[in-house]
Amino acid sequence: MKLLVTGSRGQLGRAMGRAAAARGLVFVGVDLPEFDVTDAAAVAETVALARPDVIVNCAAYTAVDAAEDDEARATEVNGTAVGHLARSADQVGALLVQVSTDYVFDGTARRRYREDDPPRPTSAYGRSKLVGEAAAAAARRHLIVRTAWLFGAGHNFVESIVGQVAAGAASLRVVADQVGCPTYTEDLAATILALVDRGSEGVFHAVNRGEVSWHGFAEEIVMRLGAEVPVTPISTAEAARRAPRPAYGVLDTAKLEALLGAPLPPWQDALGRYLSRRGRG
């Protein structure tokens, strides 16, 4: 099986490369500056030359706050570009895997979000990712995988906390009224390949097991670092971020578990493995 992965230098793209290598799959990775997913001609040419069995789109505009002032660009990258990939996938008979997000929901639910719950994004970023879902669904063969709170090799929340502790921060202030599912890119990449193996199509939620607030996540990171740095809970309003965030963005993975036979590992386990391999790619 040959995989074409866009955004191959990002957190998830790099994890997809490692997962493919572990399986002995043919991996073709493309990313900026050599490859621009918003360039329809470049997408068509790249896909035609590679002739992959599966296209995994890890390319994304992820600057959530900046998207509020540049929704057109966010939609071009997260939405319109997916249409280019869908049409090119159809040309070569490939499966298109689109990675989406909990931000397509408004975060007001009192239970975990299921795949068939109506999306109601409240941010420009969320709206742009929902456009991408619709574009992916136009492909004859498509798999949409919603995930959340990714951490892996690269810039992420864990690295932000580790960096502040290493810099000698006397205390940390972290939002406590947003709850979600921290998800390790290595686990997500393996899960995507497992879904592909089973010929899965449609929409699936894939996150590490369990839920926690950003504050609780930060406390766990600090504890595992063996640091004695207090983590003060603050509200979303106190954080004063430009874009709205889902207060409760927890994704239900029952559909995934029924297919694969087990959930992803707990996020605490995933965090431990991530911290143990930091700096190794």
Side-chain angles (χ1 to χ4, degrees):
M1 182 166 63
K2 178 186 280 189
L3 300 182
L4 173 64
V5 175
T6 65
S8 60
R9 297 191 185 101
Q11 288 189 88
L12 183 55
R14 292 163 71 179
M16 289 300 308
R18 285 188 287 272
R23 294 271 304 278
L25 305 179
V26 179
F27 177 84
V28 179
V30 293
D31 207 335
L32 291 169
E34 298 86 7
F35 173 82
D36 183 353
V37 74
T38 67
D39 184 333
V43 169
E45 179 181 10
T46 298
V47 173
L49 287 173
R51 300 199 67 82
D53 300 295
V54 181
I55 300 170
V56 182
N57 183 30
C58 299
Y61 183 111
T62 58
V64 175
D65 291 312
E68 292 298 305
D69 298 312
D70 196 6
E71 187 165 355
R73 177 59 179 168
T75 303
E76 182 183 23
V77 176
N78 294 340
T80 306
V82 183
H84 305 333
L85 290 168
R87 287 185 290 276
S88 296
D90 284 351
Q91 288 295 314
V92 299
L95 169 71
L96 174 61
V97 180
Q98 171 65 12
V99 181
S100 193
T101 172
D102 61 314
Y103 276 65
V104 300
F105 298 113
D106 62 12
T108 62
R110 296 177 180 271
R111 57 160 176 79
R112 298 182 174 197
Y113 284 99
R114 296 188 290 258
E115 287 83 354
D116 58 358
D117 283 326
R120 293 191 183 91
T122 59
S123 66
Y125 170 71
R127 289 189 292 271
S128 73
K129 292 297 286 186
L130 188 57
V131 172
E133 288 192 9
R140 285 194 295 271
R141 299 177 57 219
H142 63 271
L143 172 62
I144 297 166
V145 180
R146 293 185 184 130
T147 191
W149 293 25
L150 291 184
F151 61 94
H155 177 70
N156 58 70
F157 180 78
V158 180
E159 290 301 319
S160 175
I161 298 298
V162 171
Q164 291 178 70
V165 171
S171 64
L172 303 173
R173 288 164 48 85
V174 183
V175 170
D177 57 359
Q178 295 173 27
V179 176
C181 307
T183 305
Y184 188 20
T185 54
E186 304 294 324
D187 291 341
L188 179 60
T191 298
I192 289 173
L193 291 184
L195 287 169
V196 170
D197 282 344
R198 286 160 176 77
S200 305
E201 297 189 23
V203 182
F204 283 84
H205 290 171
V207 290
N208 279 107
R209 183 152 50 97
E211 60 186 73
V212 70
S213 68
W214 287 114
H215 174 263
F217 192 19
E219 285 193 314
E220 183 75 14
I221 296 165
V222 170
M223 183 273 290
R224 287 175 179 267
L225 293 175
E228 295 186 2
V229 179
V231 184
T232 303
I234 64 172
S235 68
T236 295
E238 288 176 280
R241 302 294 293 273
R242 179 77 174 84
R245 267 82 168 164
Y248 188 75
V250 180
L251 301 178
D252 187 303
T253 60
K255 180 181 176 182
L256 179 77
E257 293 170 31
L259 180 68
L260 301 185
L264 274 70
W267 66 264
Q268 298 93 331
D269 172 82
L271 175 62
R273 284 181 283 122
Y274 172 75
L275 291 173
S276 71
R277 67 168 293 164
R278 285 182 69 245
R280 291 190 279 137

